[in-house]
Amino acid sequence: QMMASRKEKVFETAFNTYLGKEAIGNGGSGTVYRAVSEDGETWAVKVLTISSSNKMKRFENEYRFCLDFHHEGIMQARDYGLWDSGKEKRPFYVMTLCTESLRTLMQNGIDPEKAMAYFGQMLNAVEAAHLLGVVHRDVKPENFLYDGRSDRLVLADFGTAHFLQEDLYTAVETKA
């Protein structure tokens, strides 16, 4: 059993426990934490922080897509569960921790030799999603995370995505 300090959050799944060390990002409906699992590995945990029924459906679509679909250019969910905030239980999912984004790479300067490879990775990721009937709708440098271990960009944050086959997961009203 892992012991958490006052600032840490405990995220439990059926088979693992993750200690959320600190928030590393906030979005329209979620917060991402750097977390450490029982075996000492570091992960990212995304928690739904706004729980309207529409946001809940979007979050469910996002995590199910990232859990079910395996492509090297799409962020994959590794585990999921419910976090007890003390007021309510909120869904979360676990993914690979990427500490940089395409925006960070751009600010630091991208080696021209790597620029075309990264561009190809981005196009492959968007095409893979489109072939499954998923339109991301928020493609920007901040949503391409950089995995330094594999020197790859991965598309993340499908929270505003439009799933052309809405019955694939749960129906969500979306704007044009």
Side-chain angles (χ1 to χ4, degrees), residues 27-32 45-50 54-69 74-80 91-95 134-136 138 143 145 155-163 166 168-170 172:
S29 61
T31 300
V32 178
V45 173
K46 184 172 184 178
V47 183
L48 180 68
T49 52
I50 300 172
N54 196 44
K55 296 279 187 184
M56 187 74 80
K57 288 176 183 176
R58 286 185 179 283
F59 193 81
E60 181 180 357
N61 283 345
E62 177 182 9
Y63 98 78
R64 283 190 182 202
F65 174 70
C66 293
L67 187 68
D68 294 345
F69 184 56
I74 306 258
M75 180 57 75
Q76 186 178 353
R78 307 283 181 181
D79 205 351
Y80 60 93
F92 70 87
Y93 68 88
V94 180
M95 58 190 164
V134 177
V135 179
H136 189 281
D138 195 20
N143 286 337
L145 302 181
L155 184 56
D157 196 358
F158 284 80
T160 60
H162 177 68
F163 295 80
E166 288 293 0
L168 182 65
Y169 301 121
T170 61
V172 178

Side-chain angles (χ1 to χ4, degrees), residues 5 8 33 49 85 91 109 115 155 164:
S5 72
E8 295 173 326
Y33 293 89
T49 52
S85 70
L155 184 56
L164 297 178

Side-chain angles (χ1 to χ4, degrees), residues 65-165:
F65 174 70
C66 293
L67 187 68
D68 294 345
F69 184 56
H70 301 273
H71 184 276
E72 63 188 0
I74 306 258
M75 180 57 75
Q76 186 178 353
R78 307 283 181 181
D79 205 351
Y80 60 93
L82 287 173
W83 171 63
D84 190 345
S85 70
K87 297 177 186 173
E88 62 184 332
K89 291 188 177 186
R90 298 180 179 180
F92 70 87
Y93 68 88
V94 180
M95 58 190 164
T96 301
L97 177 68
C98 295
T99 57
E100 297 179 285
S101 68
L102 176 58
R103 173 73 64 205
T104 313
L105 296 181
M106 291 165 59
Q107 289 169 341
N108 293 336
I110 298 174
D111 179 347
E113 297 289 320
K114 291 190 173 194
M116 287 306 290
Y118 292 154
F119 187 62
Q121 291 171 13
M122 294 164 58
L123 291 176
N124 286 339
V126 171
E127 179 186 39
H130 286 185
L131 289 172
L132 286 176
V134 177
V135 179
H136 189 281
R137 299 195 326 170
D138 195 20
V139 173
K140 60 186 179 184
E142 290 77 9
N143 286 337
F144 277 100
L145 302 181
Y146 177 67
D147 185 347
R149 291 166 297 227
S150 62
D151 191 28
R152 292 200 60 83
L153 292 172
V154 292
L155 184 56
D157 196 358
F158 284 80
T160 60
H162 177 68
F163 295 80
L164 297 178
Q165 299 174 349

